[in-house]
Amino acid sequence: MTELKNDLFLRACLRQDVERTPVWMMRQAGRYLPQYRATRQGAGGFLNLCKTPELACEVSIQPVELVGVDAAIMFSDILVVPEAMGMELTFGAGEGPKFPTPVCTHADVEALPIPDPEDELGYVMAAIRLIRQELAGRVPLIGFTGSPWTLATYMVEGGGSKNYSIIKSMMYNEPATMHLLLEKLADSVAAYLNAQIANGVQAVQIFDTWGGILTTRDYQEFSLQYMQRIIDQLIREHDGRRVPVIVYTKGGMGWLEAIADTGCDMVGLDWTVDIDQAKARIGDKVALQGNMDPTMLYANPDRIRTEVKDILARFGHGNGHVFNLGHGITPDVPVDHAKAFIQAVKEESSRYHS
Ligand code: CP3
């Protein structure tokens, strides 16, 4: 294996010493980059892009070369897992994802298989091997999945949703059906993440984008419990190195202690919590990732730098911080602003590390 030249990200995930704070952006491979749009156009659609390892590799590396992030994230989507379970998935131009035949009944859930990731998701594994080869140790590669709850929202609603009435009806009226679906998703995702790790990802992030729509009790029962079930199954070491696990629940800042108790290495923060308070609450247990408001990237580079300095100062001295946005970068952000953000973190953070 090639030596990792920049392992700041992995060290920060494990709360080890770093010379400066590492930084990457959720959804960093995406439409704000003209080069991404060109590759996607050539691929003839988003799913083709995901399923062609050479092209997925190309767009994964773009933000490393074009904006200077300290980690790459494999290019794919969380929804390839339900597709691998046999659900038809479409991404229409300008629309979000759609499952034309959503999961409705107990029988629908029972019929869902647990996919073999090396087989049905073999194209993801091929992309991972290629990205590692092309990165040649420049930065670590992050793998990812959606949380069972977040995946279930798309599978049951048939796409994105405003008020989640369909899945909440299932959750309240047919809890056994809901739990069976979440169990199957947790086991599918655990096998998928273990395959990602075996093929070369060096950290994994669980995106629980919709955990925050739940009540505190329902979050525990329908989302957190199943992320725990995944984490308990993960093989967290590969090539003699620990593979850090990151849990990110958008809208879950009231539950940081419970998230930290899953045994993850790092907790992802959205922008609604002050990072100094998050650090006081769970900083003795886990590293923290975040948490600039992604819309700050619409501001001018000076304003962005002021915000970066504020977040760094709030975290203060010490280890265990990976700088990121509090959610994904949006498609209409100017590339120069994304670059200015990354640059500001690199320049302003060394004073907090001796
Ligand atoms: O750069 C990276 O972070 C890696 C790639 C990545 C994508 N999706 C590519 C993508 C990752 C990590 C995801 C995760 C994802 N996908 C999440 C969780 C993270 C989050 O943002 O909350 C969710 C909820 C999805 C589901 C999904 N995929 C939606 C709702 C959409 C449509 C909205 C949108 O942003 O367009 C997608 C499509 C998608 N996934 C795109 C990309 C680059 C845009 C597709 C295109 O190129 O047109």
Side-chain angles (χ1 to χ4, degrees):
M1 243 336 119
T2 25
E3 197 200 335
L4 200 44
K5 295 177 196 90
N6 172 355
D7 66 350
L8 291 168
F9 167 78
L10 294 180
R11 281 189 272 147
C13 288
L14 300 173
R15 294 189 290 153
Q16 296 166 356
D17 285 344
V18 287
E19 305 78 66
R20 61 165 177 84
T21 307
V23 55
W24 69 285
M25 296 181 291
M26 289 191 273
R27 303 292 292 269
Q28 66 190 14
R31 284 165 296 182
Y32 73 103
L33 287 174
Q35 293 86 346
Y36 168 85
R37 296 197 299 270
T39 309
R40 175 179 175 276
Q41 179 87 20
F46 173 69
L47 272 177
N48 282 344
L49 180 53
C50 291
K51 291 179 180 182
T52 312
E54 292 71 23
L55 299 180
C57 172
E58 188 180 312
V59 296
S60 299
I61 291 176
Q62 283 172 354
V64 177
E65 295 182 344
L66 298 168
V67 290
V69 290
D70 291 306
I73 181 162
M74 67 176 202
F75 190 79
S76 185
D77 195 79
I78 61 168
L79 300 177
V80 299
V81 170
E83 196 200 33
M85 297 169 94
M87 294 187 71
E88 184 194 347
L89 170 64
T90 61
F91 283 89
E95 296 172 38
K98 294 265 178 301
F99 288 109
T101 316
V103 168
C104 297
T105 65
H106 198 80
D108 290 346
V109 176
E110 279 185 324
L112 289 169
I114 309 255
D116 174 352
E118 297 282 358
D119 185 5
E120 280 96 347
L121 293 158
Y123 60 89
V124 177
M125 306 308 149
I128 291 169
R129 295 191 298 271
L130 210 56
I131 299 166
R132 279 296 302 275
Q133 196 183 315
E134 289 293 313
L135 279 174
R138 280 178 281 176
V139 292
L141 176 62
I142 304 169
F144 70 88
T145 178
S147 72
W149 169 257
T150 292
L151 293 175
T153 63
Y154 290 97
M155 295 164 78
V156 173
E157 297 279 340
S161 178
K162 244 203 179 105
N163 49 23
Y164 298 90
S165 53
I166 311 175
I167 192 162
K168 289 210 170 178
S169 301
M170 181 187 279
M171 183 175 97
Y172 292 127
N173 293 330
E174 310 287 341
T177 303
M178 193 73 255
H179 279 298
L180 182 63
L181 176 56
L182 294 167
E183 237 170 66
K184 283 192 163 189
L185 282 168
D187 293 348
S188 299
V189 158
Y192 180 47
L193 289 180
N194 279 331
Q196 291 182 24
I197 293 167
N199 280 280
V201 305
Q202 291 151 296
V204 294
Q205 174 155 332
I206 304 176
F207 285 93
D208 187 25
T209 305
W210 302 120
I213 66 166
L214 294 166
T215 66
T216 296
R217 262 161 291 113
D218 290 337
Y219 175 69
Q220 177 65 48
E221 181 176 350
F222 294 96
S223 186
L224 193 63
Q225 180 190 177
Y226 292 97
M227 293 198 279
Q228 180 78 66
R229 184 175 168 124
I230 294 165
I231 293 169
D232 290 346
Q233 295 179 60
L234 293 182
I235 299 159
R236 294 167 72 169
E237 199 157 306
H238 189 72
D239 267 346
R241 252 193 123 126
R242 184 163 170 95
V243 179
V245 176
I246 311 158
V247 175
Y248 165 75
T249 293
K250 181 167 174 279
M253 301 304 98
W255 311 316
L256 291 178
E257 292 79 2
I259 298 170
D261 280 340
T262 58
C264 62
D265 298 283
M266 181 155 76
V267 172
L269 306 176
D270 69 24
W271 65 91
T272 65
V273 67
D274 285 332
I275 198 165
D276 49 334
Q277 297 194 9
K279 188 182 184 189
R281 285 165 62 190
I282 57 170
D284 57 334
K285 277 198 178 137
V286 289
L288 300 177
Q289 176 171 275
N291 70 338
M292 193 175 85
D293 181 345
T295 64
M296 183 57 70
L297 293 179
Y298 296 119
N300 65 59
D302 284 345
R303 181 65 185 86
I304 293 171
R305 183 172 289 256
T306 303
E307 194 70 10
V308 164
K309 284 165 85 168
D310 180 67
I311 292 170
L312 288 169
R314 280 178 191 278
F315 189 89
H317 290 268
N319 298 319
H321 183 205
V322 169
F323 217 114
N324 205 317
L325 305 173
H327 193 206
I329 183 170
T330 40
D332 52 349
V333 161
V335 180
D336 282 349
H337 292 198
K339 281 188 198 163
F341 163 62
I342 301 296
Q343 205 50 38
V345 176
K346 289 182 173 178
E347 289 169 8
E348 302 293 344
S349 63
S350 52
R351 76 184 67 164
Y352 295 100
H353 302 278
S354 42

